Amino acid sequence: DIISFISCTAIRFSNTHGDYLVILTDIRKLITKRSHKLLDYDRHRASVEKIKNKANRTIQDEKNLGQ
């Protein structure tokens, strides 16, 4: 009876462990995606700030600010 209980518990643990691994993998993917979006946002924001602070803006610079 104890052997069946242990084997049943081990099976439940392994199934639960696998579920947690899947969840953690998804969370890691979301964190990586968020990090990439933040890098893109920072890059574009820095580009806009650079154009805004430019003393002599060209027409092309003004078009780039409008995008």
Side-chain angles (χ1 to χ4, degrees):
D1 189 42
I2 289 194
I3 293 174
S4 65
F5 174 75
I6 291 173
S7 66
C8 183
T9 304
I11 290 171
R12 275 191 267 152
F13 173 76
S14 66
N15 289 341
T16 305
H17 183 268
D19 293 342
Y20 285 130
L21 287 178
V22 169
I23 290 169
L24 289 175
T25 303
D26 291 344
I27 291 171
R28 280 191 205 114
K29 286 180 185 177
L30 287 173
I31 290 170
T32 302
K33 184 176 180 180
R34 173 74 178 138
S35 175
H36 290 164
K37 282 184 174 184
L38 187 58
L39 288 173
D40 288 343
Y41 174 77
D42 286 342
R43 180 173 52 89
H44 288 292
R45 188 173 49 89
S47 176
V48 167
E49 286 299 318
K50 182 179 174 183
I51 293 173
K52 280 183 179 179
N53 295 333
K54 199 173 187 183
N56 299 323
R57 286 188 239 162
T58 64
I59 293 174
Q60 186 63 36
D61 290 339
E62 294 294 332
K63 285 181 183 178
N64 288 340
L65 278 177
Q67 291 179 354

Short mmCIF file of all heavy atoms in Angstrom, two decimals:
data_model
loop_
_atom_site.label_atom_id
_atom_site.label_comp_id
_atom_site.label_asym_id
_atom_site.label_seq_id
_atom_site.Cartn_x
_atom_site.Cartn_y
_atom_site.Cartn_z
N ASP A 1 0.83 -1.19 0.00
CA ASP A 1 0.00 0.00 0.00
C ASP A 1 0.88 1.27 0.00
O ASP A 1 0.56 2.22 -0.68
CB ASP A 1 -0.92 -0.02 1.21
CG ASP A 1 -1.96 1.08 1.15
OD1 ASP A 1 -2.52 1.31 0.07
OD2 ASP A 1 -2.19 1.71 2.20
N ILE A 2 1.95 1.24 0.77
CA ILE A 2 2.85 2.39 0.82
C ILE A 2 3.57 2.56 -0.51
O ILE A 2 3.77 3.69 -0.97
CB ILE A 2 3.86 2.23 1.98
CG1 ILE A 2 3.12 2.41 3.29
CG2 ILE A 2 5.00 3.19 1.84
CD1 ILE A 2 3.95 2.62 4.49
N ILE A 3 3.92 1.47 -1.14
CA ILE A 3 4.61 1.55 -2.43
C ILE A 3 3.71 2.20 -3.47
O ILE A 3 4.15 3.05 -4.25
CB ILE A 3 5.09 0.16 -2.88
CG1 ILE A 3 6.17 -0.34 -1.93
CG2 ILE A 3 5.60 0.20 -4.31
CD1 ILE A 3 6.60 -1.75 -2.19
N SER A 4 2.45 1.84 -3.49
CA SER A 4 1.51 2.44 -4.44
C SER A 4 1.32 3.93 -4.14
O SER A 4 1.21 4.75 -5.05
CB SER A 4 0.19 1.70 -4.45
OG SER A 4 -0.47 1.84 -3.21
N PHE A 5 1.27 4.27 -2.85
CA PHE A 5 1.13 5.67 -2.46
C PHE A 5 2.35 6.47 -2.92
O PHE A 5 2.21 7.57 -3.47
CB PHE A 5 0.98 5.78 -0.94
CG PHE A 5 0.99 7.20 -0.45
CD1 PHE A 5 -0.11 8.03 -0.63
CD2 PHE A 5 2.11 7.72 0.18
CE1 PHE A 5 -0.10 9.32 -0.19
CE2 PHE A 5 2.14 9.03 0.62
CZ PHE A 5 1.03 9.83 0.45
N ILE A 6 3.54 5.93 -2.72
CA ILE A 6 4.77 6.61 -3.13
C ILE A 6 4.83 6.77 -4.64
O ILE A 6 5.17 7.84 -5.15
CB ILE A 6 6.01 5.87 -2.58
CG1 ILE A 6 6.07 6.01 -1.06
CG2 ILE A 6 7.28 6.41 -3.22
CD1 ILE A 6 7.15 5.17 -0.42
N SER A 7 4.47 5.72 -5.36
CA SER A 7 4.52 5.80 -6.82
C SER A 7 3.48 6.79 -7.34
O SER A 7 3.75 7.56 -8.27
CB SER A 7 4.33 4.43 -7.46
OG SER A 7 3.03 3.94 -7.20
N CYS A 8 2.31 6.80 -6.72
CA CYS A 8 1.25 7.75 -7.12
C CYS A 8 1.70 9.18 -6.82
O CYS A 8 1.51 10.08 -7.64
CB CYS A 8 -0.04 7.42 -6.37
SG CYS A 8 -1.43 8.46 -6.84
N THR A 9 2.32 9.40 -5.68
CA THR A 9 2.82 10.72 -5.32
C THR A 9 3.93 11.15 -6.27
O THR A 9 3.99 12.31 -6.69
CB THR A 9 3.34 10.72 -3.87
OG1 THR A 9 2.30 10.29 -3.00
CG2 THR A 9 3.80 12.10 -3.45
N ALA A 10 4.81 10.23 -6.62
CA ALA A 10 5.90 10.54 -7.55
C ALA A 10 5.35 10.91 -8.92
O ALA A 10 5.85 11.85 -9.56
CB ALA A 10 6.85 9.35 -7.66
N ILE A 11 4.33 10.23 -9.37
CA ILE A 11 3.71 10.54 -10.67
C ILE A 11 3.09 11.93 -10.62
O ILE A 11 3.25 12.73 -11.55
CB ILE A 11 2.67 9.46 -11.05
CG1 ILE A 11 3.39 8.15 -11.39
CG2 ILE A 11 1.82 9.93 -12.23
CD1 ILE A 11 2.45 6.97 -11.57
N ARG A 12 2.36 12.23 -9.55
CA ARG A 12 1.75 13.55 -9.42
C ARG A 12 2.81 14.65 -9.36
O ARG A 12 2.66 15.71 -9.95
CB ARG A 12 0.87 13.62 -8.17
CG ARG A 12 -0.53 13.10 -8.45
CD ARG A 12 -1.44 13.42 -7.31
NE ARG A 12 -1.41 12.23 -6.43
CZ ARG A 12 -1.61 12.24 -5.14
NH1 ARG A 12 -1.85 13.36 -4.51
NH2 ARG A 12 -1.57 11.13 -4.45
N PHE A 13 3.89 14.37 -8.64
CA PHE A 13 4.97 15.35 -8.54
C PHE A 13 5.60 15.60 -9.91
O PHE A 13 5.85 16.74 -10.29
CB PHE A 13 6.04 14.90 -7.55
CG PHE A 13 7.25 15.78 -7.54
CD1 PHE A 13 7.22 17.01 -6.92
CD2 PHE A 13 8.42 15.40 -8.18
CE1 PHE A 13 8.32 17.84 -6.91
CE2 PHE A 13 9.52 16.22 -8.19
CZ PHE A 13 9.47 17.43 -7.55
N SER A 14 5.86 14.53 -10.65
CA SER A 14 6.50 14.70 -11.96
C SER A 14 5.58 15.43 -12.92
O SER A 14 6.05 16.26 -13.71
CB SER A 14 6.93 13.35 -12.53
OG SER A 14 5.81 12.55 -12.83
N ASN A 15 4.28 15.17 -12.86
CA ASN A 15 3.34 15.90 -13.72
C ASN A 15 3.30 17.37 -13.34
O ASN A 15 3.32 18.25 -14.21
CB ASN A 15 1.94 15.30 -13.63
CG ASN A 15 1.84 13.94 -14.30
OD1 ASN A 15 2.69 13.59 -15.11
ND2 ASN A 15 0.82 13.19 -13.95
N THR A 16 3.25 17.65 -12.06
CA THR A 16 3.21 19.03 -11.58
C THR A 16 4.52 19.74 -11.91
O THR A 16 4.52 20.90 -12.34
CB THR A 16 2.98 19.06 -10.06
OG1 THR A 16 1.80 18.33 -9.77
CG2 THR A 16 2.80 20.47 -9.56
N HIS A 17 5.62 19.04 -11.75
CA HIS A 17 6.94 19.60 -12.05
C HIS A 17 7.01 19.98 -13.53
O HIS A 17 7.50 21.06 -13.88
CB HIS A 17 8.02 18.58 -11.69
CG HIS A 17 9.41 19.07 -11.91
ND1 HIS A 17 10.08 18.87 -13.08
CD2 HIS A 17 10.23 19.77 -11.10
CE1 HIS A 17 11.27 19.42 -12.99
NE2 HIS A 17 11.39 19.96 -11.80
N GLY A 18 6.51 19.12 -14.38
CA GLY A 18 6.49 19.42 -15.83
C GLY A 18 5.64 20.63 -16.14
O GLY A 18 6.01 21.46 -16.99
N ASP A 19 4.50 20.75 -15.46
CA ASP A 19 3.63 21.92 -15.66
C ASP A 19 4.35 23.20 -15.26
O ASP A 19 4.26 24.22 -15.95
CB ASP A 19 2.34 21.78 -14.85
CG ASP A 19 1.46 20.65 -15.36
OD1 ASP A 19 1.66 20.21 -16.52
OD2 ASP A 19 0.57 20.22 -14.60
N TYR A 20 5.05 23.16 -14.14
CA TYR A 20 5.78 24.34 -13.69
C TYR A 20 6.89 24.71 -14.67
O TYR A 20 7.14 25.88 -14.91
CB TYR A 20 6.36 24.15 -12.29
CG TYR A 20 5.33 24.23 -11.20
CD1 TYR A 20 5.24 23.26 -10.22
CD2 TYR A 20 4.43 25.30 -11.14
CE1 TYR A 20 4.29 23.33 -9.21
CE2 TYR A 20 3.48 25.39 -10.15
CZ TYR A 20 3.42 24.40 -9.18
OH TYR A 20 2.48 24.49 -8.20
N LEU A 21 7.55 23.72 -15.23
CA LEU A 21 8.60 24.00 -16.21
C LEU A 21 8.04 24.70 -17.44
O LEU A 21 8.65 25.62 -17.98
CB LEU A 21 9.33 22.73 -16.60
CG LEU A 21 10.26 22.13 -15.55
CD1 LEU A 21 10.88 20.84 -16.06
CD2 LEU A 21 11.35 23.12 -15.18
N VAL A 22 6.87 24.27 -17.88
CA VAL A 22 6.22 24.90 -19.03
C VAL A 22 5.86 26.35 -18.70
O VAL A 22 6.10 27.26 -19.49
CB VAL A 22 4.96 24.11 -19.45
CG1 VAL A 22 4.14 24.89 -20.47
CG2 VAL A 22 5.36 22.76 -20.01
N ILE A 23 5.31 26.56 -17.51
CA ILE A 23 4.93 27.91 -17.09
C ILE A 23 6.16 28.81 -17.00
O ILE A 23 6.16 29.95 -17.46
CB ILE A 23 4.18 27.87 -15.74
CG1 ILE A 23 2.81 27.22 -15.93
CG2 ILE A 23 4.03 29.26 -15.15
CD1 ILE A 23 2.10 26.90 -14.64
N LEU A 24 7.24 28.30 -16.41
CA LEU A 24 8.46 29.09 -16.28
C LEU A 24 9.07 29.42 -17.63
O LEU A 24 9.60 30.52 -17.84
CB LEU A 24 9.47 28.37 -15.39
CG LEU A 24 9.11 28.32 -13.91
CD1 LEU A 24 10.13 27.47 -13.15
CD2 LEU A 24 9.02 29.69 -13.31
N THR A 25 8.99 28.49 -18.57
CA THR A 25 9.49 28.74 -19.92
C THR A 25 8.70 29.87 -20.58
O THR A 25 9.28 30.76 -21.20
CB THR A 25 9.41 27.46 -20.78
OG1 THR A 25 10.14 26.43 -20.14
CG2 THR A 25 9.96 27.70 -22.16
N ASP A 26 7.39 29.85 -20.41
CA ASP A 26 6.55 30.91 -20.97
C ASP A 26 6.88 32.26 -20.33
O ASP A 26 6.93 33.28 -21.02
CB ASP A 26 5.07 30.59 -20.77
CG ASP A 26 4.60 29.43 -21.62
OD1 ASP A 26 5.31 29.07 -22.58
OD2 ASP A 26 3.52 28.88 -21.33
N ILE A 27 7.10 32.25 -19.03
CA ILE A 27 7.44 33.50 -18.34
C ILE A 27 8.77 34.04 -18.83
O ILE A 27 8.91 35.25 -19.06
CB ILE A 27 7.46 33.28 -16.81
CG1 ILE A 27 6.03 33.03 -16.31
CG2 ILE A 27 8.09 34.46 -16.09
CD1 ILE A 27 5.95 32.60 -14.87
N ARG A 28 9.74 33.17 -19.03
CA ARG A 28 11.04 33.62 -19.55
C ARG A 28 10.89 34.24 -20.93
O ARG A 28 11.52 35.25 -21.25
CB ARG A 28 12.02 32.45 -19.61
CG ARG A 28 12.64 32.13 -18.30
CD ARG A 28 13.80 31.15 -18.46
NE ARG A 28 13.97 30.44 -17.23
CZ ARG A 28 13.77 29.14 -17.04
NH1 ARG A 28 13.41 28.38 -18.04
NH2 ARG A 28 13.95 28.59 -15.87
N LYS A 29 10.05 33.64 -21.78
CA LYS A 29 9.82 34.18 -23.12
C LYS A 29 9.20 35.57 -23.04
O LYS A 29 9.58 36.48 -23.79
CB LYS A 29 8.91 33.26 -23.92
CG LYS A 29 9.58 31.99 -24.40
CD LYS A 29 8.61 31.13 -25.18
CE LYS A 29 9.21 29.81 -25.58
NZ LYS A 29 8.22 28.96 -26.28
N LEU A 30 8.23 35.75 -22.14
CA LEU A 30 7.58 37.05 -21.99
C LEU A 30 8.57 38.10 -21.48
O LEU A 30 8.55 39.25 -21.93
CB LEU A 30 6.40 36.95 -21.02
CG LEU A 30 5.17 36.24 -21.56
CD1 LEU A 30 4.14 36.05 -20.45
CD2 LEU A 30 4.56 37.03 -22.70
N ILE A 31 9.43 37.72 -20.56
CA ILE A 31 10.43 38.65 -20.04
C ILE A 31 11.40 39.07 -21.14
O ILE A 31 11.74 40.25 -21.28
CB ILE A 31 11.18 38.03 -18.84
CG1 ILE A 31 10.23 37.94 -17.64
CG2 ILE A 31 12.41 38.84 -18.48
CD1 ILE A 31 10.79 37.14 -16.49
N THR A 32 11.82 38.12 -21.95
CA THR A 32 12.73 38.43 -23.06
C THR A 32 12.06 39.34 -24.07
O THR A 32 12.66 40.32 -24.53
CB THR A 32 13.19 37.12 -23.75
OG1 THR A 32 13.81 36.29 -22.79
CG2 THR A 32 14.14 37.41 -24.89
N LYS A 33 10.81 39.06 -24.39
CA LYS A 33 10.07 39.90 -25.34
C LYS A 33 9.93 41.32 -24.80
O LYS A 33 10.12 42.29 -25.53
CB LYS A 33 8.69 39.29 -25.60
CG LYS A 33 7.88 40.01 -26.63
CD LYS A 33 6.58 39.31 -26.91
CE LYS A 33 5.76 40.02 -27.93
NZ LYS A 33 4.49 39.35 -28.21
N ARG A 34 9.61 41.44 -23.53
CA ARG A 34 9.46 42.76 -22.90
C ARG A 34 10.80 43.51 -22.92
O ARG A 34 10.83 44.71 -23.17
CB ARG A 34 8.97 42.57 -21.46
CG ARG A 34 8.95 43.82 -20.65
CD ARG A 34 7.81 44.72 -21.07
NE ARG A 34 7.82 45.90 -20.22
CZ ARG A 34 7.63 47.11 -20.65
NH1 ARG A 34 7.37 47.33 -21.91
NH2 ARG A 34 7.65 48.12 -19.83
N SER A 35 11.86 42.80 -22.69
CA SER A 35 13.19 43.42 -22.71
C SER A 35 13.51 43.96 -24.10
O SER A 35 14.03 45.07 -24.24
CB SER A 35 14.24 42.41 -22.27
OG SER A 35 15.52 42.94 -22.39
N HIS A 36 13.19 43.18 -25.11
CA HIS A 36 13.45 43.62 -26.49
C HIS A 36 12.60 44.85 -26.84
O HIS A 36 13.08 45.79 -27.48
CB HIS A 36 13.17 42.50 -27.48
CG HIS A 36 14.17 41.40 -27.41
ND1 HIS A 36 13.95 40.16 -27.95
CD2 HIS A 36 15.39 41.32 -26.83
CE1 HIS A 36 14.99 39.39 -27.73
NE2 HIS A 36 15.88 40.07 -27.05
N LYS A 37 11.34 44.86 -26.41
CA LYS A 37 10.49 46.01 -26.67
C LYS A 37 11.02 47.25 -25.97
O LYS A 37 11.00 48.34 -26.53
CB LYS A 37 9.06 45.73 -26.19
CG LYS A 37 8.26 44.85 -27.11
CD LYS A 37 6.84 44.73 -26.61
CE LYS A 37 5.98 43.97 -27.58
NZ LYS A 37 4.57 43.93 -27.14
N LEU A 38 11.50 47.08 -24.75
CA LEU A 38 12.03 48.21 -24.01
C LEU A 38 13.28 48.77 -24.68
O LEU A 38 13.45 49.99 -24.77
CB LEU A 38 12.35 47.79 -22.57
CG LEU A 38 12.76 48.89 -21.61
CD1 LEU A 38 11.68 49.95 -21.52
CD2 LEU A 38 13.04 48.30 -20.24
N LEU A 39 14.13 47.89 -25.19
CA LEU A 39 15.32 48.34 -25.92
C LEU A 39 14.94 49.13 -27.17
O LEU A 39 15.52 50.18 -27.47
CB LEU A 39 16.21 47.16 -26.30
CG LEU A 39 16.97 46.48 -25.17
CD1 LEU A 39 17.66 45.23 -25.69
CD2 LEU A 39 17.97 47.43 -24.56
N ASP A 40 13.95 48.62 -27.91
CA ASP A 40 13.49 49.32 -29.11
C ASP A 40 12.91 50.68 -28.75
O ASP A 40 13.18 51.68 -29.43
CB ASP A 40 12.44 48.50 -29.85
CG ASP A 40 13.01 47.30 -30.56
OD1 ASP A 40 14.24 47.26 -30.76
OD2 ASP A 40 12.23 46.39 -30.91
N TYR A 41 12.11 50.73 -27.69
CA TYR A 41 11.51 51.99 -27.26
C TYR A 41 12.59 52.99 -26.88
O TYR A 41 12.54 54.16 -27.28
CB TYR A 41 10.56 51.75 -26.08
CG TYR A 41 10.02 53.02 -25.48
CD1 TYR A 41 9.00 53.73 -26.12
CD2 TYR A 41 10.54 53.53 -24.30
CE1 TYR A 41 8.50 54.90 -25.59
CE2 TYR A 41 10.05 54.71 -23.76
CZ TYR A 41 9.04 55.38 -24.40
OH TYR A 41 8.57 56.55 -23.87
N ASP A 42 13.56 52.55 -26.09
CA ASP A 42 14.64 53.45 -25.67
C ASP A 42 15.45 53.96 -26.86
O ASP A 42 15.83 55.13 -26.90
CB ASP A 42 15.58 52.74 -24.69
CG ASP A 42 14.96 52.57 -23.31
OD1 ASP A 42 13.99 53.29 -23.01
OD2 ASP A 42 15.46 51.72 -22.55
N ARG A 43 15.67 53.09 -27.83
CA ARG A 43 16.43 53.49 -29.01
C ARG A 43 15.68 54.57 -29.80
O ARG A 43 16.25 55.58 -30.20
CB ARG A 43 16.68 52.27 -29.90
CG ARG A 43 17.47 52.56 -31.16
CD ARG A 43 17.82 51.29 -31.91
NE ARG A 43 16.69 50.44 -32.19
CZ ARG A 43 15.91 50.54 -33.29
NH1 ARG A 43 16.18 51.44 -34.19
NH2 ARG A 43 14.91 49.70 -33.46
N HIS A 44 14.38 54.38 -30.00
CA HIS A 44 13.58 55.35 -30.74
C HIS A 44 13.43 56.65 -29.96
O HIS A 44 13.47 57.74 -30.54
CB HIS A 44 12.21 54.78 -31.09
CG HIS A 44 12.26 53.73 -32.15
ND1 HIS A 44 12.60 54.01 -33.45
CD2 HIS A 44 12.05 52.39 -32.09
CE1 HIS A 44 12.58 52.90 -34.16
NE2 HIS A 44 12.25 51.89 -33.36
N ARG A 45 13.25 56.54 -28.65
CA ARG A 45 13.12 57.74 -27.83
C ARG A 45 14.40 58.57 -27.87
O ARG A 45 14.35 59.80 -27.98
CB ARG A 45 12.79 57.35 -26.38
CG ARG A 45 12.45 58.51 -25.49
CD ARG A 45 11.97 58.05 -24.13
NE ARG A 45 12.84 57.06 -23.53
CZ ARG A 45 13.89 57.33 -22.75
NH1 ARG A 45 14.20 58.57 -22.48
NH2 ARG A 45 14.61 56.36 -22.24
N ALA A 46 15.54 57.91 -27.81
CA ALA A 46 16.83 58.61 -27.88
C ALA A 46 17.00 59.28 -29.24
O ALA A 46 17.52 60.41 -29.32
CB ALA A 46 17.97 57.65 -27.61
N SER A 47 16.54 58.62 -30.29
CA SER A 47 16.64 59.19 -31.63
C SER A 47 15.78 60.45 -31.74
O SER A 47 16.23 61.47 -32.29
CB SER A 47 16.19 58.16 -32.66
OG SER A 47 16.17 58.70 -33.94
N VAL A 48 14.58 60.41 -31.19
CA VAL A 48 13.70 61.58 -31.23
C VAL A 48 14.29 62.72 -30.41
O VAL A 48 14.28 63.88 -30.84
CB VAL A 48 12.28 61.21 -30.73
CG1 VAL A 48 11.45 62.45 -30.47
CG2 VAL A 48 11.59 60.30 -31.73
N GLU A 49 14.80 62.42 -29.25
CA GLU A 49 15.42 63.45 -28.40
C GLU A 49 16.61 64.10 -29.11
O GLU A 49 16.81 65.31 -29.03
CB GLU A 49 15.85 62.87 -27.06
CG GLU A 49 14.71 62.58 -26.13
CD GLU A 49 13.92 63.83 -25.75
OE1 GLU A 49 14.53 64.88 -25.50
OE2 GLU A 49 12.68 63.74 -25.74
N LYS A 50 17.38 63.28 -29.80
CA LYS A 50 18.54 63.80 -30.53
C LYS A 50 18.09 64.78 -31.61
O LYS A 50 18.69 65.85 -31.78
CB LYS A 50 19.32 62.64 -31.15
CG LYS A 50 20.56 63.03 -31.87
CD LYS A 50 21.27 61.81 -32.42
CE LYS A 50 22.45 62.16 -33.28
NZ LYS A 50 23.09 60.98 -33.86
N ILE A 51 17.03 64.44 -32.33
CA ILE A 51 16.53 65.32 -33.39
C ILE A 51 15.93 66.58 -32.78
O ILE A 51 16.12 67.69 -33.29
CB ILE A 51 15.50 64.58 -34.28
CG1 ILE A 51 16.20 63.47 -35.08
CG2 ILE A 51 14.82 65.54 -35.23
CD1 ILE A 51 15.26 62.57 -35.84
N LYS A 52 15.19 66.44 -31.67
CA LYS A 52 14.58 67.61 -31.02
C LYS A 52 15.63 68.59 -30.53
O LYS A 52 15.43 69.81 -30.59
CB LYS A 52 13.72 67.17 -29.83
CG LYS A 52 12.37 66.65 -30.20
CD LYS A 52 11.59 66.33 -28.93
CE LYS A 52 10.21 65.83 -29.23
NZ LYS A 52 9.46 65.49 -28.00
N ASN A 53 16.73 68.08 -30.03
CA ASN A 53 17.77 68.94 -29.47
C ASN A 53 18.72 69.49 -30.53
O ASN A 53 19.58 70.32 -30.20
CB ASN A 53 18.57 68.18 -28.41
CG ASN A 53 17.73 67.83 -27.22
OD1 ASN A 53 16.76 68.51 -26.91
ND2 ASN A 53 18.08 66.75 -26.55
N LYS A 54 18.55 69.06 -31.75
CA LYS A 54 19.40 69.52 -32.84
C LYS A 54 19.11 70.99 -33.13
O LYS A 54 17.95 71.41 -33.20
CB LYS A 54 19.11 68.67 -34.08
CG LYS A 54 20.15 68.67 -35.12
CD LYS A 54 19.77 67.64 -36.19
CE LYS A 54 20.86 67.47 -37.19
NZ LYS A 54 20.45 66.54 -38.25
N ALA A 55 20.15 71.79 -33.29
CA ALA A 55 19.99 73.23 -33.49
C ALA A 55 19.41 73.54 -34.88
O ALA A 55 18.45 74.29 -35.01
CB ALA A 55 21.33 73.94 -33.32
N ASN A 56 19.98 72.98 -35.91
CA ASN A 56 19.52 73.24 -37.28
C ASN A 56 18.88 71.99 -37.85
O ASN A 56 19.55 71.14 -38.40
CB ASN A 56 20.71 73.67 -38.16
CG ASN A 56 21.37 74.93 -37.66
OD1 ASN A 56 20.67 75.82 -37.18
ND2 ASN A 56 22.68 75.01 -37.76
N ARG A 57 17.56 71.93 -37.71
CA ARG A 57 16.85 70.76 -38.23
C ARG A 57 16.53 70.95 -39.71
O ARG A 57 16.14 72.02 -40.15
CB ARG A 57 15.53 70.55 -37.48
CG ARG A 57 15.73 70.00 -36.11
CD ARG A 57 14.40 69.64 -35.53
NE ARG A 57 14.24 70.42 -34.31
CZ ARG A 57 13.12 70.64 -33.69
NH1 ARG A 57 12.00 70.16 -34.16
NH2 ARG A 57 13.08 71.35 -32.60
N THR A 58 16.66 69.85 -40.44
CA THR A 58 16.32 69.87 -41.86
C THR A 58 14.87 69.44 -42.03
O THR A 58 14.21 69.03 -41.07
CB THR A 58 17.24 68.91 -42.65
OG1 THR A 58 16.99 67.58 -42.21
CG2 THR A 58 18.70 69.26 -42.47
N ILE A 59 14.39 69.53 -43.25
CA ILE A 59 13.03 69.08 -43.54
C ILE A 59 12.90 67.58 -43.28
O ILE A 59 11.88 67.12 -42.74
CB ILE A 59 12.66 69.43 -45.01
CG1 ILE A 59 12.59 70.95 -45.17
CG2 ILE A 59 11.34 68.80 -45.39
CD1 ILE A 59 12.37 71.40 -46.59
N GLN A 60 13.93 66.85 -43.59
CA GLN A 60 13.92 65.39 -43.36
C GLN A 60 13.83 65.11 -41.84
O GLN A 60 13.12 64.19 -41.43
CB GLN A 60 15.17 64.75 -43.95
CG GLN A 60 15.18 63.23 -43.88
CD GLN A 60 14.06 62.60 -44.68
OE1 GLN A 60 13.68 63.10 -45.74
NE2 GLN A 60 13.53 61.50 -44.19
N ASP A 61 14.52 65.91 -41.05
CA ASP A 61 14.45 65.74 -39.60
C ASP A 61 13.02 65.98 -39.11
O ASP A 61 12.51 65.26 -38.25
CB ASP A 61 15.40 66.70 -38.89
CG ASP A 61 16.86 66.33 -39.08
OD1 ASP A 61 17.14 65.16 -39.42
OD2 ASP A 61 17.72 67.22 -38.93
N GLU A 62 12.37 67.01 -39.64
CA GLU A 62 10.98 67.32 -39.26
C GLU A 62 10.06 66.17 -39.65
O GLU A 62 9.15 65.82 -38.90
CB GLU A 62 10.52 68.62 -39.90
CG GLU A 62 11.23 69.84 -39.40
CD GLU A 62 10.94 70.15 -37.94
OE1 GLU A 62 9.86 69.80 -37.45
OE2 GLU A 62 11.83 70.72 -37.28
N LYS A 63 10.28 65.59 -40.83
CA LYS A 63 9.47 64.44 -41.25
C LYS A 63 9.68 63.27 -40.31
O LYS A 63 8.74 62.56 -39.95
CB LYS A 63 9.83 64.02 -42.68
CG LYS A 63 9.31 64.93 -43.75
CD LYS A 63 9.70 64.40 -45.12
CE LYS A 63 9.25 65.32 -46.22
NZ LYS A 63 9.67 64.84 -47.54
N ASN A 64 10.93 63.05 -39.90
CA ASN A 64 11.22 61.94 -39.00
C ASN A 64 10.57 62.13 -37.64
O ASN A 64 10.17 61.16 -37.00
CB ASN A 64 12.73 61.76 -38.83
CG ASN A 64 13.40 61.20 -40.07
OD1 ASN A 64 12.74 60.61 -40.91
ND2 ASN A 64 14.70 61.41 -40.19
N LEU A 65 10.44 63.36 -37.20
CA LEU A 65 9.76 63.63 -35.92
C LEU A 65 8.27 63.33 -36.02
O LEU A 65 7.66 62.90 -35.04
CB LEU A 65 9.96 65.10 -35.51
CG LEU A 65 11.26 65.43 -34.82
CD1 LEU A 65 11.33 66.92 -34.56
CD2 LEU A 65 11.41 64.66 -33.54
N GLY A 66 7.70 63.55 -37.19
CA GLY A 66 6.27 63.32 -37.37
C GLY A 66 5.89 61.85 -37.43
O GLY A 66 4.74 61.49 -37.26
N GLN A 67 6.84 60.98 -37.67
CA GLN A 67 6.52 59.55 -37.83
C GLN A 67 6.29 58.91 -36.53
O GLN A 67 6.74 58.76 -35.59
CB GLN A 67 7.61 58.84 -38.60
CG GLN A 67 7.66 59.26 -40.03
CD GLN A 67 8.78 58.56 -40.80
OE1 GLN A 67 9.59 57.83 -40.24
NE2 GLN A 67 8.81 58.79 -42.08
#
